[in-house]
Amino acid sequence: MAEPAYQKEVCFVEELKPRVHHLLRRTNRKLTEYRFKDLQIDLRAHRVWRAGVEVDLTLREYALLETLVINRNIALTRGQLLTAAWGYDYIGESRTVDVHINRVRRKLGLQHEIQTVFKVGYRLNTRGTL
């Protein structure tokens, strides 16, 4: 007697689960470390190195950098960056983002890569470097 079709599908899904899980683990592992220019960013360890020397970033500077790296080549508004780095309940000036972005640019030598998008916000341009 032949197996019902739904049992074959269940077996196929059960065989597929470990494969998908393995691929996701391998993909997630790769996405925790970024290198471009002379920078190395380890998102899992919350550490940044420039030319092999660890750079001390404040919590907010790191949060901004992490947000820019994860959303690289996408323009983010000051509001989006404020929410990512300071949280939803932060009430303050959007100029705070500008000040912190300038600090990150200076500390990491990203004056040209962290671009100001007129009337929008900022973008980390990594085209051709990641």
Side-chain angles (χ1 to χ4, degrees):
M1 187 153 131
E3 278 185 58
Y6 72 89
Q7 283 183 338
K8 288 180 183 178
E9 290 174 9
V10 169
C11 290
F12 176 73
V13 170
E14 290 303 316
E15 289 176 19
L16 196 58
K17 278 182 184 178
R19 293 179 187 180
V20 170
H21 180 69
H22 174 73
L23 286 171
L24 288 172
R25 271 192 339 197
R26 196 173 72 195
T27 302
N28 287 339
R29 198 174 327 134
K30 287 182 182 177
L31 295 177
T32 62
E33 192 170 299
Y34 294 91
R35 293 175 188 256
F36 61 98
K37 288 185 59 171
D38 61 345
L39 295 176
Q40 178 184 352
I41 303 163
D42 186 341
L43 298 179
R44 192 175 303 183
H46 291 261
R47 296 172 78 181
V48 180
W49 296 268
R50 181 177 179 195
V53 177
E54 190 165 2
V55 178
D56 289 325
L57 296 176
T58 67
L59 180 64
R60 303 298 182 220
E61 291 166 350
Y62 180 82
L64 285 172
L65 177 64
E66 181 179 49
T67 303
L68 289 168
V69 167
I70 291 170
N71 297 287
R72 60 196 176 280
N73 302 314
I74 298 172
L76 299 171
T77 66
R78 286 173 178 83
Q80 289 171 310
L81 292 168
L82 270 172
T83 299
W86 282 267
Y88 289 103
D89 57 350
Y90 178 80
I91 298 173
E93 301 270 337
S94 65
R95 296 296 299 169
T96 302
V97 173
D98 300 336
V99 170
H100 282 79
I101 287 287
N102 284 327
R103 289 181 186 161
V104 171
R105 282 176 170 159
R106 187 178 64 251
K107 285 182 177 183
L108 301 178
L110 297 174
Q111 287 82 358
H112 300 291
E113 289 77 11
I114 298 178
Q115 301 171 336
T116 303
V117 180
F118 185 67
K119 292 196 177 191
V120 176
Y122 295 96
R123 167 183 47 237
L124 176 63
N125 184 11
T126 61
R127 300 260 186 228
T129 58
L130 259 181

